[in-house]
Amino acid sequence: MPTTADPSVPVLTLDGPSGSGKGTVSRLVAARLGWHYLDSGALYRAVGIAAGWSAVDLSDASALVRCAFDTHVEFREDGAREPRVIVNGADATDELRTEAAGAAASAIAAIPEVRAALKERQRAFRRPPGLVADGRDMGTVIFPDAPFKVFLTASAEERAQRRYKQLKDKGVSVTLDGLLREILARDARDASRAVAPLRPADDAVRIDTTGLPIADVVDRVLAVVTAGAPG
Ligand code: DC
């Protein structure tokens, strides 16, 4: 992978809170366009779990910054819907999706130096023929010059419902109320942090996915690219 990103390569940024449908929509849109896909949340989660593996305290900012630089993350396609995520040589795909990994990611994502440490790594995903970048600050900080920007939202209740269904399908026992509380707390933390708070880029197209089937959201996002594409 090149270390410097090519600014002529088109980027579609998809930002929004967790449960807005970003992950699923981004993957489907990337597949339809034949573009690369950056799951930036997975990078934060990977650093969070690698810190946990080395018993680094989540309040030890300088050790976390070292983790952000040193953690090796590889996305390995194996034909499944989602790639395997290999962290420091170990398959961390399942651990990455746990609530604990999400909470650790959210905590370390509030540290400016951790965000800075992951910046170039994210930009290096910008390779021909194009990139779909999924996260919180893709359109505002990482790829401010992206020609296509979308901000996805959904009501907190609907996001909690979606997460509840996902976890139940996996056999994880949770309560809807508990999930709603966690989602609201995480939203507040992600939106109020000093660095790269969750907010739409001024030039992002906003799509509220509440009540919309995934296929419709995908079509709306693809329309943003088609409408903005030259020719
Ligand atoms: O999208 P996700 O749930 O995998 O993200 C996990 C956490 O990482 C989330 O609480 C916010 C943080 N994050 C971030 O701050 N910036 C990003 N570009 C992606 C994720």
Side-chain angles (χ1 to χ4, degrees), residues 18 22 40-41 44-45 97 105-106 109 115 135-138 186 190 193:
S18 50
K22 269 180 314 129
S40 62
Y44 285 95
R45 286 169 184 264
R97 289 294 139 216
S106 175
R115 303 196 73 86
R136 302 293 192 289
D137 61 342
M138 299 294 100
R186 179 143 1 138
D190 291 344
R193 67 181 175 222

Side-chain angles (χ1 to χ4, degrees), residues 18-211:
S18 50
S20 58
K22 269 180 314 129
T24 310
V25 170
S26 303
R27 274 178 227 285
L28 290 169
V29 167
R32 289 272 287 274
L33 293 169
W35 289 4
H36 298 283
Y37 169 58
L38 164 62
D39 179 357
S40 62
L43 287 181
Y44 285 95
R45 286 169 184 264
V47 173
I49 64 175
W53 290 346
S54 346
V56 168
D57 199 287
L58 287 181
S59 61
D60 186 346
S62 55
L64 291 170
V65 171
R66 269 198 308 280
C67 269
F69 278 114
D70 295 346
T71 303
H72 185 266
V73 188
E74 184 195 338
F75 295 92
R76 200 177 282 167
E77 298 291 345
D78 68 352
R81 204 170 59 88
E82 294 186 17
R84 308 301 300 175
V85 188
I86 313 299
V87 179
N88 291 338
D91 190 330
T93 315
D94 295 334
E95 188 174 347
L96 220 63
R97 289 294 139 216
T98 59
E99 293 301 306
S106 175
I108 64 158
I111 303 170
E113 293 84 358
V114 168
R115 303 196 73 86
L118 294 178
K119 210 177 214 178
E120 285 315 313
R121 207 193 269 208
Q122 294 174 84
R123 289 184 174 155
F125 278 77
R126 189 173 196 170
R127 284 173 289 141
L131 175 69
V132 176
D134 159 356
R136 302 293 192 289
D137 61 342
M138 299 294 100
T140 48
V141 177
I142 305 297
F143 302 108
D145 64 330
F148 313 112
K149 297 183 185 178
V150 170
F151 192 85
L152 290 186
T153 54
S155 70
E157 289 73 18
E158 171 134 347
R159 289 186 284 128
Q161 281 281 1
R162 289 176 185 167
R163 189 75 188 127
Y164 181 68
K165 188 174 175 314
Q166 272 175 1
L167 292 172
K168 277 208 65 154
D169 289 349
K170 279 201 227 156
V172 181
S173 125
V174 279
T175 67
L176 190 55
D177 252 21
L179 279 177
L180 182 58
R181 270 199 306 277
E182 268 172 36
I183 281 182
L184 291 171
R186 179 143 1 138
D187 278 2
R189 196 163 51 225
D190 291 344
S192 67
R193 67 181 175 222
V195 266
L198 175 63
R199 66 166 182 86
D202 293 338
D203 49 350
V205 174
R206 297 174 198 215
I207 302 175
D208 185 344
T209 70
T210 310

